[in-house]
Amino acid sequence: MSGTTTAAAALRRRAAGAGANRWVVLVVLCASLLLVAVDATVLHVAVPAVTEDLRPGAMELLWIVDSYPLVCASLLILFGTLGDRVGRRRVLLLGYALFGVASGLAALADDAQVLIAARALLGVGGAMIMPATLSILRQVFPDRRERALAIGIWSAVAAVGAAVGPLLGGFLLEHFWWGSVFLVNIPLMLVSLPVGRILLPESKGEGDGPWDVVGALTAAAGLFAAVLGVKRLGGGEPLGSAWTVLPLLGGAALLTAFVRRQRRRAHPLVDLRMFARPAFSTSVGCIVLAMLALVGLELIAAQYLQLVLGLSPLETGLRLLPLTVAAMAAGLAGARMLRRFGPRRMVCFGFCLTAAAVVSLTAMGGQDNVPLLLTGFVLLGFGLETTLFGAYESMLSEAPQEQAGGAAAIGETSYQLGAGIGIALLGSVMNAAYAPGLTGVPGVPGQASTAAGHSLGEAYEVAERLGGPAGDALRHAARHAFVHGLHVTLLVSAGLLLLGAAMALRLPRAMQCDTAAVGVPSPREATEHRVSELKV
């Protein structure tokens, strides 16, 4: 009897100790997220400098920007489920090391191909880091109320990274060469690696059955091929081109094979039954649509601020700062908003607010309008973060704890897939609306007009080579065409956001805080269960 009492007391102390340390774990996980979030945005303000130095083609420029989210999205399921088997902390620490090495390679790249390869390697490291942070968070915060607060802090840190990225990139470009924007990752990695090894708890799933290596590789190849096809479309390739059709068909075939394989297996890599839950599948769709709108708009906005308004990279980062500050505020207020309004109204409101902000930004023209940009960016940041917070929290709460890595990988795959498709889709819309405005410019040869139609930066280079009245006319026409393309892109984005608002109506009306409802016992229930086992 005394042995049982002693064991019960030890279990209670252990549970209390875990509760006291979970906020320290959250700090370390947020530092991990900061590492990836900074790298995702730091390149945006450096695109013109990279274009001027490395002279990439239109497709190469898209790959420089998009190879990171493409590779990351392709491998998230692989590394997320691998972390469930071999240990999430182990995968996370390996991701730190790889991220640092790839950052050094990107900084020293002397041509576009090397930079693309380094960005792809960064994507591999990011695929190791991102699902591990969310799955460990799911593990150490079993109570939904506390988990909502933790996700709010996690989301706010993501917004901080998005804010720090352009600012830091702008500052470095003012004083150093563009490669310095990648070197900032190395100090963060050097700090995160030993700290994470000491403070982070190791956690695994149940690990029943063998890990489905073939399924993981099939999912990775299918996602890569599908997004590659979309990227080819975004780069201006015709839909009937073999380099567009084959990746799209191949990706669809591989993903279909992956789904069929998972349904047949006794121990699937990803439990697809989670998608039968409306809250889970709807949350995943909302994440895709939100990121599809956000990342493409951020990239186009950075080009507008620098190439149309003539702002420096640092000034561009400062102009984008209100967007991320508003996103931080939404993340910190998210837990309270979710408890008061519920997932359905919260996510729907976020989409509608973002759509209103995007429509208001169609008033942007060739002249600087500070009040308009400030208001639009604040509403955009607050609305999108409100949407992402509600969607992520609902998705994680619907997933069983033993599937935390797989669920986190699905969420992050949706995040990165939406970002990659957003750049390709909105970039394609932008190009389709921009290029016709450069045909028939007086004094400009047809070949020069075609080259100028690839991008605004290339149009400026062609105009400089032409010089004289023809160059001035081309520069003016390119600026006008870019602003027109921006307006069209904003309207398309607003339509996608309203589609997301309609989709959010399938989410639960109220926040269900009963942890047993999602298959996760509370700490007290877990302790009592262990004590009852000891008594038996």
Side-chain angles (χ1 to χ4, degrees):
M1 182 71 177
S2 61
T4 301
T5 304
T6 303
L11 284 170
R12 293 190 186 97
R13 287 195 299 271
R14 192 177 304 154
N21 292 332
R22 64 188 182 279
W23 299 105
V24 178
V25 172
L26 177 62
V27 172
V28 179
L29 294 179
C30 287
S32 307
L33 178 65
L34 186 66
L35 178 75
V36 180
V38 167
D39 191 77
T41 59
V42 72
L43 187 63
H44 288 179
V45 295
V47 167
V50 171
T51 302
E52 182 179 354
D53 186 23
L54 300 184
R55 305 284 180 177
M59 180 57 66
E60 286 179 328
L61 183 59
L62 276 175
W63 274 104
I64 288 172
V65 175
D66 213 21
S67 59
Y68 172 80
L70 169 61
V71 173
C72 191
S74 302
L75 299 177
L76 281 166
I77 291 178
L78 189 155
F79 288 118
T81 55
L82 180 63
D84 286 342
R85 297 304 179 100
V86 304
R88 293 149 186 161
R89 186 189 68 168
R90 183 177 300 175
V91 173
L92 179 66
L93 297 180
L94 181 60
Y96 286 158
L98 186 60
F99 213 84
V101 172
S103 297
L105 293 175
L108 300 176
D110 56 358
D111 59 49
Q113 290 77 18
V114 174
L115 182 56
I116 291 170
R119 289 277 291 169
L121 194 59
L122 280 168
V124 178
M128 294 179 175
I129 294 171
M130 292 299 289
T133 61
L134 269 179
S135 56
I136 293 174
L137 186 149
R138 176 70 173 81
Q139 176 89 13
V140 299
F141 288 96
D143 181 76
R144 186 168 184 178
R145 291 185 181 89
E146 286 191 345
R147 184 166 64 247
L149 178 59
I151 292 175
I153 296 172
W154 185 87
S155 300
V157 170
V160 170
V164 169
L167 282 175
L168 187 59
F171 173 79
L172 292 172
L173 288 173
E174 291 283 337
H175 299 87
F176 306 100
W177 93 114
W178 60 264
S180 61
V181 302
F182 296 106
L183 294 180
V184 298
N185 296 328
I186 297 177
L188 286 173
M189 181 276 296
L190 292 175
V191 173
S192 298
L193 194 58
V195 171
R197 182 175 179 82
I198 295 171
L199 295 179
L200 287 179
E202 184 60 280
S203 64
K204 301 179 182 179
E206 294 180 354
D208 294 336
W211 184 58
D212 186 9
V213 181
V214 174
L217 294 176
T218 302
L223 287 168
F224 187 92
V227 181
L228 174 61
V230 176
K231 280 178 59 61
R232 299 289 296 185
L233 286 174
E237 286 285 332
L239 182 60
S241 170
W243 290 104
T244 301
V245 173
L246 291 179
L248 288 174
L249 293 179
L254 288 170
L255 291 176
T256 301
F258 170 75
V259 171
R260 290 179 176 176
R261 180 180 177 85
Q262 298 310 297
R263 288 177 174 174
R264 291 195 307 265
R265 291 182 64 85
H267 303 286
L269 188 71
V270 176
D271 188 358
L272 297 178
R273 290 175 298 179
M274 290 188 292
F275 284 95
R277 303 180 180 184
F280 186 90
S281 56
T282 301
S283 298
V284 170
C286 289
I287 292 170
V288 171
L289 283 174
M291 289 309 301
L292 193 152
L294 173 64
V295 176
L297 287 179
E298 278 193 344
L299 181 62
I300 294 170
Q303 294 176 334
Y304 168 80
L305 293 172
Q306 290 186 73
L307 298 177
V308 176
L309 300 185
L311 301 181
S312 68
L314 181 58
E315 290 172 332
T316 299
L318 290 172
R319 287 296 184 88
L320 292 173
L321 184 60
L323 186 152
T324 45
V325 171
M328 289 168 53
L332 293 175
R336 180 173 297 180
M337 292 172 62
L338 187 65
R339 288 196 300 269
R340 181 170 181 179
F341 301 110
R344 181 186 301 178
R345 283 186 289 179
M346 182 177 179
V347 176
C348 189
F349 166 76
F351 270 123
C352 291
L353 181 62
T354 307
V358 167
V359 171
S360 71
L361 288 174
T362 57
M364 292 187 301
Q367 302 299 322
D368 196 359
N369 189 334
V370 176
L372 173 67
L373 292 177
L374 177 62
T375 304
F377 286 163
V378 166
L379 295 178
L380 185 66
F382 193 89
L384 272 171
E385 184 59 29
T386 298
T387 299
L388 288 173
F389 175 90
Y392 262 113
E393 200 284 333
S394 297
M395 183 202 69
L396 283 179
S397 296
E398 283 293 313
Q401 187 173 358
E402 64 272 12
Q403 288 280 333
I410 291 172
E412 290 304 316
T413 300
S414 306
Y415 186 99
Q416 297 291 347
L417 193 61
I421 294 176
I423 291 176
L425 177 62
L426 296 185
S428 179
V429 172
M430 180 72 189
N431 290 337
Y434 162 78
L438 298 179
T439 58
V441 179
V444 178
Q447 187 175 2
S449 295
T450 302
H454 294 155
S455 68
L456 183 58
E458 194 164 348
Y460 283 172
E461 293 179 3
V462 174
E464 185 176 355
R465 290 198 299 267
L466 289 175
D472 293 338
L474 180 60
R475 187 178 291 105
H476 176 77
R479 282 165 53 90
H480 179 76
F482 186 90
V483 172
H484 169 71
L486 177 60
H487 292 167
V488 174
T489 305
L490 288 171
L491 291 176
V492 171
S493 179
L496 293 171
L497 291 166
L498 292 176
L499 177 63
M503 181 186 297
L505 296 176
R506 298 181 68 240
L507 290 172
R509 184 183 298 274
M511 177 183 179
Q512 301 294 330
C513 295
D514 182 8
T515 54
V518 293
V520 182
S522 66
R524 180 179 177 183
E525 290 170 340
T527 301
E528 291 175 351
H529 178 67
R530 293 289 301 277
V531 171
S532 65
E533 287 181 337
L534 288 172
K535 288 181 179 179
V536 174

